[in-house]
Amino acid sequence: MTIAIYLAHLNPVTKAHVEIIEELKEKNEVRVMPVVFINKDKEINSRSFPFEFELRKKMLQSVFGDSISILSNYSFYAPFAKYMPPLFSPFSWRIKKQILGGLTDDYFTYTGDKAEGFMLKLYGLNPRVGTRKTTSASFVKQKMFEAALGKDTDWENYVSPEVVKIIQENWDIVKKYAASKDCTYRVLGMKFPSNGFW
């Protein structure tokens, strides 16, 4: 069976993510890899990346159980600038090796982002660029932050009930980042935390 590798932020896991994974599951074995940023052995979380890997894994498991694999292979280690420029930096090629984890054929990587698809193609990761869903995780996250600041929003409508429960149980994380500054750099269509970039 072909292995579909889904690389995404998943911060949080939305109904759009669930829809994509369900589509991939129809004909493939699915490996989901939420992106992780590490600085000095500690995961970096911020307004753009509020939920740590283990919590995002829990969100995915609450919907899919063990019908998919959830791996931390898509991890960047500070300083993140060392991965630049892509293709020329030897560190950037390590990401490919981590993602594949020994796979050599009968796989593809899925993304809904054309810029990311182009980069995945340069790395020889057999990308399939799907149609971008109308509701992004950034949109849902913004609604969550507004709710944490006292505004009446409908963020729950964009997230599966199981995931809503997990987010509500960890609402202190949402409150922590709701009024904070977004400290990220966007490089070739991908966001990196400014903390640990240099």
Side-chain angles (χ1 to χ4, degrees):
M1 183 178 277
T2 300
I3 294 172
I5 301 171
Y6 182 29
L7 308 170
H9 284 100
L10 300 155
N11 226 319
V13 175
T14 67
K15 284 182 178 177
H17 293 133
V18 170
E19 186 181 334
I20 288 166
I21 294 168
E22 289 288 5
E23 289 169 4
L24 291 173
K25 276 180 62 187
E26 286 176 10
K27 296 181 180 177
N28 311 284
E29 176 189 327
V30 178
R31 297 183 181 181
V32 182
M33 298 184 190
V35 67
V36 183
F37 301 101
I38 308 288
N39 189 6
K40 296 176 183 172
D41 298 322
K42 187 172 178 189
E43 184 174 350
I44 297 174
N45 297 107
S46 64
R47 182 180 172 86
S48 284
F49 318 107
F51 300 112
E52 63 182 26
F53 171 80
E54 288 300 332
L55 201 50
R56 288 176 283 159
K57 182 177 180 179
K58 186 177 178 181
M59 291 176 191
L60 288 163
Q61 287 174 329
S62 73
V63 179
F64 296 104
D66 59 1
S67 67
I68 61 170
S69 299
I70 306 153
L71 308 169
S72 60
N73 298 36
Y74 195 28
S75 294
F76 293 84
Y77 297 86
F80 309 121
K82 72 186 176 190
Y83 295 95
M84 305 299 151
L87 302 180
F88 295 100
S89 166
F91 290 98
S92 70
W93 287 98
R94 289 186 190 179
I95 288 291
K96 176 181 180 178
K97 192 173 180 181
Q98 286 172 205
I99 289 168
L100 293 182
L103 284 176
T104 55
D105 55 13
D106 207 17
Y107 75 89
F108 66 91
T109 54
Y110 176 89
T111 180
D113 185 276
K114 288 183 181 177
E116 189 175 56
F118 177 71
M119 289 306 300
L120 294 171
K121 186 173 183 179
L122 289 177
Y123 281 110
L125 282 167
N126 304 341
R128 288 190 192 170
V129 181
T131 305
R132 199 169 185 86
K133 302 297 181 184
T134 53
T135 304
S136 70
S138 295
F139 170 80
V140 178
K141 192 162 44 197
Q142 183 57 39
K143 281 184 170 281
M144 284 168 33
F145 289 149
E146 289 171 2
L149 294 171
K151 189 174 177 182
D152 187 20
T153 73
D154 61 347
W155 70 268
E156 297 98 328
N157 293 342
Y158 302 95
V159 180
S160 299
E162 304 92 336
V163 177
V164 169
K165 186 169 183 278
I166 292 168
I167 292 172
Q168 287 174 336
E169 288 169 352
N170 293 275
W171 194 245
D172 57 320
I173 295 172
V174 181
K175 288 195 291 187
K176 176 181 176 181
Y177 294 113
S180 66
K181 187 179 174 185
D182 184 13
C183 300
T184 57
Y185 293 129
R186 186 174 283 276
V187 184
L188 298 170
M190 183 171 177
K191 279 184 169 184
F192 286 90
S194 56
N195 174 17
F197 190 81
W198 298 107

